Amino acid sequence: NVVVKAEPADNVVVKAEPADDDVLDAALNGGGCDLSAAPSSSAAAALQLEPVTVLDQLIRTMLSQNTTDATSIRAFRELKRRYPRWESVRTASAANVADAIRVGGLADVKAERIQVILNYLYETRGGELSLEYLHDEPDDEKIKAFLKQFKGVGPKTISCVLLFALRRADFPVDTHVWKISLALRWIPKSATREQAYDLLNSAIPDDIKFDLHVLLVEHGKNVAGNDPGAELRRIASH
């Protein structure tokens, strides 16, 4: 078990050291987080609605861009309700795909980008609309290079695919993680989200990346006000 400590610094400082079983949960869940009493495995499971394929995770994460979790989930479910198979999404008109995901915002752009990916797979994988073969690729950097060739697939989206679909030790940096990391001085104030991703991934131990990401996201969603790091700073100061 570990404690993640924040220290003032120009660069990220994340220290891992022995701790009681519930210290990490307690430190990250002050302020009324719903996961305050949950073990880390339950916390991680809370973020997954259902088992998904790698392609499902990629498209679900693309739909989450520039919108809330609630609306992106609705958009994904409506897309799957209208088009249960990805082949149906590929061959549908862009307008109809966009209509299915309209609730999530930027529907025309997202629909076009989703169909580009599906058509690429159709043309290069012998008609197989699947990314499950990425499980067999041991080099995460090759997976990142492959996925980032597609418009709308940036570092956070790729990191989510690595962590949640491929179960690799990666640490996605969304708005919640970024704000909390800044508040705790794990990263410099000038760090962009992409710089934060590089810094945090190199500093956070692989064996806690999954659970720490989930806990920070849940804390950011549930804490009141615009400063999700305030309660954590108070705890870290004692």
Side-chain angles (χ1 to χ4, degrees):
N1 298 306
V2 299
V3 170
V4 178
K5 288 187 175 180
E7 295 183 358
D10 292 331
N11 296 307
V12 62
V13 176
V14 181
K15 292 184 176 180
E17 60 185 42
D20 294 333
D21 288 346
D22 59 351
V23 169
L24 180 58
D25 285 357
L28 293 174
N29 287 298
C33 181
D34 289 339
L35 297 173
S36 59
S40 58
S41 57
S42 297
L47 210 63
Q48 295 287 8
L49 296 174
E50 61 217 25
V52 295
T53 67
V54 180
L55 185 57
D56 283 353
Q57 184 67 56
L58 174 62
I59 293 176
R60 174 185 287 183
T61 308
M62 292 174 69
L63 291 175
S64 75
Q65 297 164 0
N66 297 292
T67 190
T68 64
D69 286 346
T71 54
S72 68
I73 290 169
R74 287 171 59 195
F76 183 80
R77 286 178 172 168
E78 181 60 18
L79 180 65
K80 295 292 279 186
R81 185 188 72 80
R82 295 192 195 185
Y83 304 104
R85 298 173 60 249
W86 289 121
E87 175 63 17
S88 300
V89 177
R90 187 186 73 84
T91 58
S93 70
N96 285 342
V97 174
D99 186 62
I101 61 175
R102 186 75 58 192
V103 67
L106 299 176
D108 294 332
V109 173
K110 291 176 181 178
E112 178 184 359
R113 290 174 175 177
I114 288 168
Q115 288 189 312
V116 165
I117 292 172
L118 295 177
N119 281 317
Y120 175 89
L121 291 174
Y122 181 83
E123 293 166 5
T124 62
R125 300 290 299 176
E128 181 185 10
L129 302 185
S130 172
L131 290 171
E132 295 308 292
Y133 69 92
L134 293 180
H135 283 287
D136 298 324
E137 173 54 65
D139 189 340
D140 290 355
E141 295 305 314
K142 288 184 179 180
I143 295 174
K144 291 177 183 180
F146 167 71
L147 292 175
K148 75 178 182 181
Q149 71 179 299
F150 300 110
K151 282 189 175 181
V153 182
K156 188 201 80 170
T157 298
I158 295 171
S159 187
C160 286
V161 170
L162 285 169
L163 183 67
F164 293 110
L166 296 173
R167 290 297 192 264
R168 307 294 175 90
D170 216 71
F171 193 72
V173 177
D174 71 349
T175 298
H176 300 297
V177 173
W178 181 49
K179 287 183 177 180
I180 292 172
S181 298
L182 284 170
L184 292 177
R185 302 178 186 176
W186 289 355
I187 55 177
K189 290 182 180 179
S190 60
T192 64
R193 290 236 313 242
E194 292 193 14
Q195 290 169 336
Y197 169 79
D198 290 335
L199 289 167
L200 292 170
N201 266 281
S202 66
I204 294 172
D206 285 349
D207 60 347
I208 67 168
K209 283 178 176 175
F210 195 117
D211 292 330
L212 181 59
H213 171 80
V214 173
L215 289 167
L216 291 180
V217 170
E218 289 301 310
H219 179 77
K221 288 178 182 177
N222 287 284
V223 72
N226 295 319
D227 184 3
E231 179 65 11
L232 296 181
R233 283 198 303 273
R234 185 189 67 77
I235 294 171
S237 67
H238 293 291

